[in-house]
Each structure stands twice: as C-alpha cells, then as structure tokens.
Amino acid sequence: GAVVSQHPSRVICKSGTSVKIECRSLDFQATTMFWYRQFPKKSLMLMATSNEGSKATYEQGVEKDKFLINHASLTLSTLTVTSAHPEDSSFYICSARGRIWEQYFGPGTRLTVT
Amino acid sequence: TQLLEQSPQFLSIQEGENLTVYCNSSSVFSSLQWYRQEPGEGPVLLVTVVTGGEVKKLKRLTFQFGDARKDSSLHITAAQPGDTGLYLCAGARDQGAQKLVFGQGTRLTINP
C-alpha cells in the first residue's frame, strides 16, 4: 500500500514553455500532498503544501505564480512550472500524507530546461 | 537554521562493517521518520518512531528514538552494497504538523 506515482519521470522543455507534473496517490486518499525540489547530492527542499480543494501554501522564497499547484481531487495534485528557465532544471518530488506524520514519496520527475 | 542535523554527511565503508548514523536536534519532535533514497528515485520510508526511547528493528537496521525525542540513530549491522544510498531523517514537530523537517542527509557507500 501507500503507492505514489509521478508523471512524467523525465521531461525536457525549451526555455519559456510550461511543464505540468502530476502526482497521484494510487491506493489511498490524500487530503494533503507536498512538492519538493532536490538539488544534486542535497536533501529535499519543501516548495509547497497542497491541500485538496483549497489554495496551496508556499514556502518562503517560492514564487506561487511560477510554480502553480492544483489539488483538485483526493488522489491528484499537479505542479506546473510556468515560463521555465534553465535554472528551474531540477529533480521535483511529490509526497502524499498518509497517517498523521508519515509521507509517501513519488519516484520524482527530472526536469531539464534547455 | 537546520533543525535536524545528520552526521556524518558522508560515509564510505567496506561490506560487512557496522555503522551508525545520527540525527540530532535541540527541538522535540512528536515523531521521526527515516527514509532511504537511491539516485534518480524518490525517498522510501523505512520506519517511523513515536515514543521516547523506542527501538525498532528492520532486518539488519536498528532505529532508536532518544528518550527526550530530540534525536535518533540508525545502526546498520554487516552492511551490504545494497544498503548504499542517501539516508534522510525527518521529524514532525507536533501531531497536527503537516510539514516534515528534513535533515541534510547521510550519503552512505558500501564498497564490495
């Protein structure tokens, strides 16, 4: 149980375009999902908390207009990187909250902006 | 400010050796989780500890939560190359907390 999927696993896009990443909880409902960014050989950096049916809560320094988050159902949250630039290239990981404290992570999406 | 300090940050040992990774804080956590992450993949939950002094075992891995719930340790016995990865500790500040606080990770390499 507690499986979280992400799609796509890898994406290459041109500078200035937008990219949407999907995060799905496959066998449980998640009222709360999280989006992280991970730089090479570093720990996870929380970008935002996504709550089903309400606006996402962004961490300090994360541009909400650039990283659009939608959590329209109990099993799906999406992250859209708008007007992507090379500096947005990174490994993006989502997680879904299970029991009170536990988070279950997706496999990640490698974004490369050329 | 890093609320959870992991040590060591890097560790490279030979197969068969034992090792301990530490996760320390000056703050109290309601629970603490340990994850392992392999390159290009998402972190995988290994264990959750919630009670001060609690010890949990997962095959060759032993996890302990400090009595004061401010620290935790992960001990691996007879390490194997398959144990290689990034180990992350993460804590929840209280039962209502949505966010987890992550340590900076320990990158473990087990050499055959």
Side-chain angles (χ1 to χ4, degrees), chain A residues 28-45:
Chain A
F28 67 105
Q29 294 182 330
T31 56
T32 304
M33 291 184 174
F34 303 87
W35 286 96
Y36 295 85
R37 185 172 178 176
Q38 187 174 33
F39 293 99
K41 300 187 178 181
K42 297 292 185 182
S43 186
L44 304 176
M45 183 186 79

Side-chain angles (χ1 to χ4, degrees), chain A residues 40-58:
Chain A
K41 300 187 178 181
K42 297 292 185 182
S43 186
L44 304 176
M45 183 186 79
L46 179 64
M47 298 174 65
T49 301
S50 169
N51 293 296
E52 187 266 337
S54 64
K55 291 184 178 181
T57 303
Y58 290 82

Side-chain angles (χ1 to χ4, degrees), chain A:
Chain A
V3 178
V4 176
S5 69
Q6 272 183 252
H7 178 80
S9 57
R10 290 177 175 270
V11 58
I12 301 173
C13 71
K14 292 186 177 181
S15 186
T17 62
S18 296
V19 175
K20 179 184 285 188
I21 303 171
E22 292 186 350
C23 178
R24 294 181 185 273
S25 57
L26 298 184
D27 52 0
F28 67 105
Q29 294 182 330
T31 56
T32 304
M33 291 184 174
F34 303 87
W35 286 96
Y36 295 85
R37 185 172 178 176
Q38 187 174 33
F39 293 99
K41 300 187 178 181
K42 297 292 185 182
S43 186
L44 304 176
M45 183 186 79
L46 179 64
M47 298 174 65
T49 301
S50 169
N51 293 296
E52 187 266 337
S54 64
K55 291 184 178 181
T57 303
Y58 290 82
E59 295 299 300
Q60 190 174 5
V62 178
E63 298 176 59
K64 63 179 181 181
D65 294 330
K66 180 167 186 61
F67 299 99
L68 300 178
I69 292 172
N70 184 275
H71 193 160
S73 78
L74 288 171
T75 59
L76 173 64
S77 177
T78 61
L79 168 68
T80 301
V81 182
T82 63
S83 186
H85 291 285
E87 57 264 30
D88 299 324
S89 298
S90 194
F91 192 53
Y92 292 88
I93 310 175
C94 72
S95 71
R97 185 178 173 189
R99 292 190 304 163
I100 297 177
W101 304 289
E102 296 171 347
Q103 291 184 24
Y104 298 94
F105 287 83
T109 296
R110 173 75 59 194
L111 170 63
T112 303
V113 184
T114 61

Side-chain angles (χ1 to χ4, degrees), chain B residues 75-111:
Chain B
H75 181 79
I76 301 179
T77 303
Q80 299 178 1
D83 296 327
T84 294
L86 177 67
Y87 287 81
L88 296 160
C89 66
R93 296 300 299 273
D94 54 59
Q95 291 188 13
Q98 291 200 67
K99 299 189 293 186
L100 291 177
V101 175
F102 277 85
Q104 69 269 60
T106 294
R107 190 161 296 278
L108 175 63
T109 303
I110 308 300
N111 303 299

